[in-house]
């Protein structure tokens, strides 16, 4: 299943995305535009049909950069974002955005062709309720994609860097002392530890969907086998992508 995307998963892409991550705080327009384009490419590769004309739901779409990437491919894009500040952060028009919680999507069952969530699950203390909702709103035969940052990976602490290995609360205190303000991603409030094993357990037991593939989001293709190795995948995979087909 990931073969269609594997040709894009090159070492050059990995280096390019790693470079863009350095602009997340200083130039978010640049960072999110690059991430949006990469996300649309991933979704187009793993969805069995064309994105043109498909109803695509993005849970946690943020300030609107993802809308441009998907509408450029002809998709009917709809995003759900719980944070009004995030919705308007870039001053982008939000005619296709709903303010709601991912755990309670205000959509009919089986109403979209693709439901995905990127880098959101680690920001909720109920990630598998969000995942269940992605499955619920997807039509039979449609695609469900959940991608999230692994807590034990090098990016698990987000802007707190590698200090999260000392403990989440300690990392917050160190960041606050250094910068004079708390981090945006506050451990236990807007950032939670989440593992690859928990996601794989959920996906394999999903009642109305079948797990088709699991692979590291940002690593080159030759590194994908790390997902098959317990413990190692928690650190080395950095970000796990779960692709499911709705029954």
């Amino acid at each position: 299943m990931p073969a269609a995307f594997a040709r894009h998963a090159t070492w050059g892409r990995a280096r390019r995305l790693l470079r863009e991550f350095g602009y997340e705080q200083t130039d978010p327009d640049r960072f999110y535009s690059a991430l949006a384009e990469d996300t649309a490419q991933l979704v187009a590769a793993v969805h069995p049909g064309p994105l043109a004309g498909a109803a695509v739901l993005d849970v946690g779409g943020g300030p609107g950069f993802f809308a441009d990437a998907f509408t450029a491919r002809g998709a009917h894009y709809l995003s759900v974002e719980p944070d009004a500040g995030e919705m308007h952060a870039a001053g982008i028009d939000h005619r296709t955005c709903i303010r709601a919680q991912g755990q309670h999507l205000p959509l009919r069952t089986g109403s979209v062709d693709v439901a995905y969530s990127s880098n959101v699950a680690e920001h909720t203390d109920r990630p598998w309720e969000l995942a269940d909702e992605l499955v619920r709103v997807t039509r039979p035969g449609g695609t469900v994609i959940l991608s999230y940052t692994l807590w034990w990976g090098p990016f698990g602490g987000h802007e707190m860097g590698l200090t999260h290995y000392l403990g989440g609360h300690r990392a917050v205190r160190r960041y606050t002392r250094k910068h004079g303000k708390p981090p945006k991603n506050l451990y236990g409030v807007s950032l939670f530890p989440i593992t690859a094993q928990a996601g794989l357990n959920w996906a394999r037991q999903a009642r109305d969907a079948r797990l088709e593939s699991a692979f590291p989001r940002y690593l080159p293709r030759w590194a994908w086998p790390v997902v098959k190795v317990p413990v190692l995948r928690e650190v080395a995979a950095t970000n796990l992508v779960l692709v499911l087909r709705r029954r």
Side-chain angles (χ1 to χ4, degrees):
M1 172 56 175
F5 181 67
R7 63 188 181 90
H8 300 293
T10 63
W11 177 241
R13 167 184 173 267
R15 285 187 300 160
R16 183 173 64 255
L17 288 174
L18 182 62
R19 183 175 62 248
E20 296 300 332
F21 277 118
Y23 293 95
E24 182 177 6
Q25 301 298 319
T26 59
D27 191 354
D29 287 14
R30 171 175 173 168
F31 167 70
Y32 284 108
S33 294
L35 188 61
E37 180 60 28
D38 188 77
T39 299
Q41 186 178 67
L42 185 156
V43 174
V46 302
H47 184 56
L51 285 189
V56 177
L57 173 68
D58 173 5
V59 177
F65 297 102
F66 290 77
D68 291 340
F70 280 95
T71 55
R73 287 169 168 78
H76 300 297
Y77 176 87
L78 174 67
S79 67
V80 171
E81 173 60 55
D83 188 337
E86 286 291 327
M87 290 170 64
H88 300 290
I92 296 175
D93 187 9
H94 285 275
R95 286 173 293 179
T96 60
C97 187
I98 300 172
R99 186 179 180 188
Q101 294 290 334
Q103 296 89 346
H104 304 285
L105 296 175
L107 281 79
R108 296 193 309 272
T109 297
S111 57
V112 300
D113 299 296
V114 178
Y116 83 91
S117 180
S118 175
N119 298 317
V120 173
E122 68 266 30
H123 298 294
T124 174
D125 60 348
R126 295 180 291 161
W128 314 123
E129 291 182 24
L130 182 155
D132 286 339
E133 279 289 85
L134 293 178
V135 172
R136 181 186 67 79
V137 301
T138 304
R139 297 182 181 122
T143 305
V144 177
I145 305 168
L146 181 66
S147 172
Y148 60 92
T149 303
L150 301 174
W151 173 251
W152 293 112
F155 305 110
H158 286 54
E159 71 268 39
M160 292 178 286
L162 299 176
T163 62
H164 71 294
Y165 287 123
L166 303 174
H169 294 298
R170 181 175 294 177
V172 169
R173 292 194 295 269
R174 287 172 63 94
Y175 183 96
T176 303
R177 285 198 302 269
K178 180 178 180 180
H179 298 277
K181 61 180 181 180
K184 174 184 176 182
N185 297 291
L186 195 61
Y187 181 79
V189 177
S190 58
L191 181 63
F192 300 87
I194 187 170
T195 64
Q197 188 61 58
L200 290 167
N201 289 345
W202 167 80
R204 289 164 179 161
Q205 298 168 12
R207 184 178 59 182
D208 297 319
R210 179 182 71 256
L211 176 64
E212 294 211 331
S213 61
F215 55 93
R217 169 82 185 265
Y218 304 116
L219 300 187
R221 177 67 181 88
W222 56 262
W224 284 10
V226 299
V227 168
K228 300 179 181 180
V229 185
V231 181
L232 176 62
R233 62 187 170 215
E234 303 294 346
V235 178
T238 72
N239 186 293
L240 180 67
V241 178
L242 299 170
V243 180
L244 298 92
R245 187 72 54 227
R246 179 69 154 89
R247 294 193 177 98

